Amino acid sequence: MGPMNTALITPQPAQPQDGQRIHPLWLRLTHWLNALAVVILVTSGWRIYNAAPFFDFSFPGSITLGGWLGGALQWHFAAMWLLVFNGLLYLLLNIASGRWLRKFFPVSVQGVRQDLVAALKGRLSHADPARYNHVQKLAYLFVVLDLVVIVLSGLVLWKSVQFPLLRELLGGYESARRVHFFGMSALVAFVVVHLAMVALVPRTFLTMIHGRAPKSP
């Protein structure tokens, strides 16, 4: 028998041992601050939308933040700065530490299709919380892009005169309102799916709190 072709063998990274640190402190802090900012932005944004809705519905006041338009705007702007600065810190630390490339790439259409089919059949493995499957990679990359769109469209709504080129690229002020709304809707959909996955695999929630690999089930 000839020598084995080692080029065809792709080594798999070792799974973290129980109690091993897999999420650094900076990641956990920026993650939870981003989550807080998103909750405030969405609930205050619903109240702002209710003041001038462009669809035939409004959000129940009980799930909005601010009480009135002025109060909602104050909450919205405060959370906006938190998301911008904390989100930039999150991105910079991910890139500088190499985590961005290590965790979210490579991602392929075939990998997404296979993992999505496995997830729909309930066969997608969650044995290694330190690694993301292709569906998770795509979802996280999408939400980062979505947040960029939300911030840019928000700039048009906030300072339309100061950003005329951006306003025109988004199709005008009213078009930017809709881009902002649908960007928010996509973000809410991501959060709902994310919470559903956490409910299915609750040990991932604890991992994002203490940062250590959970005990093997």
Side-chain angles (χ1 to χ4, degrees):
M1 180 180 296
M4 182 179 297
N5 187 356
T6 57
L8 299 177
I9 301 176
T10 302
Q12 297 295 325
Q15 293 187 9
Q17 300 297 317
D18 293 348
Q20 178 182 341
R21 176 111 26 215
I22 59 176
H23 294 321
L25 179 60
W26 65 262
L27 176 69
R28 287 174 282 140
L29 288 177
T30 54
H31 170 272
W32 290 114
L33 285 174
N34 280 335
L36 174 63
V38 165
V39 170
I40 296 174
L41 282 168
V42 168
T43 52
S44 62
W46 287 342
R47 182 63 188 86
I48 296 169
Y49 165 86
N50 285 350
F54 44 78
F55 291 119
D56 294 331
F57 71 88
S58 296
F59 294 96
S62 58
I63 63 172
T64 65
L65 180 65
W68 61 298
L69 178 58
L73 285 169
Q74 290 178 343
W75 278 107
H76 207 69
F77 288 141
M80 174 192 73
W81 291 116
L82 175 60
L83 179 67
V84 168
F85 289 116
N86 187 70
L88 285 175
L89 180 62
Y90 171 85
L91 284 177
L92 289 174
L93 290 175
N94 263 287
I95 294 172
S97 65
R99 184 180 182 274
W100 183 262
L101 291 176
R102 187 170 64 252
K103 292 291 186 180
F104 300 115
F105 296 94
V107 59
S108 66
V109 174
Q110 181 180 1
V112 171
R113 183 174 65 251
Q114 291 176 345
D115 285 345
L116 184 59
V117 170
L120 293 175
K121 293 181 178 180
R123 298 176 182 173
L124 190 60
S125 174
H126 298 281
D128 186 359
R131 296 178 60 199
Y132 296 143
N133 58 59
H134 286 263
V135 173
Q136 288 174 307
K137 292 177 182 179
L138 182 63
Y140 287 128
L141 292 173
F142 166 79
V143 81
V144 169
L145 179 61
D146 184 52
L147 285 170
V148 171
V149 171
I150 290 174
V151 170
L152 293 178
S153 58
L155 285 176
V156 173
L157 302 183
W158 178 41
K159 298 287 186 180
S160 180
V161 176
Q162 286 81 354
F163 296 98
L165 178 59
L166 184 58
R167 183 185 66 236
E168 294 307 313
L169 289 174
L170 291 176
Y173 184 86
E174 285 300 321
S175 177
R177 285 188 68 200
R178 286 158 176 76
V179 169
H180 199 69
F181 180 87
F182 287 116
M184 175 276 297
S185 301
L187 180 60
V188 171
F190 168 82
V191 171
V192 169
V193 173
H194 186 59
L195 292 177
M197 297 306 297
V198 169
L200 292 173
V201 192
R203 58 200 181 101
T204 58
F205 173 77
L206 297 176
T207 301
M208 189 51 73
I209 293 178
H210 53 61
R212 299 186 180 278
K215 293 183 179 180
S216 301

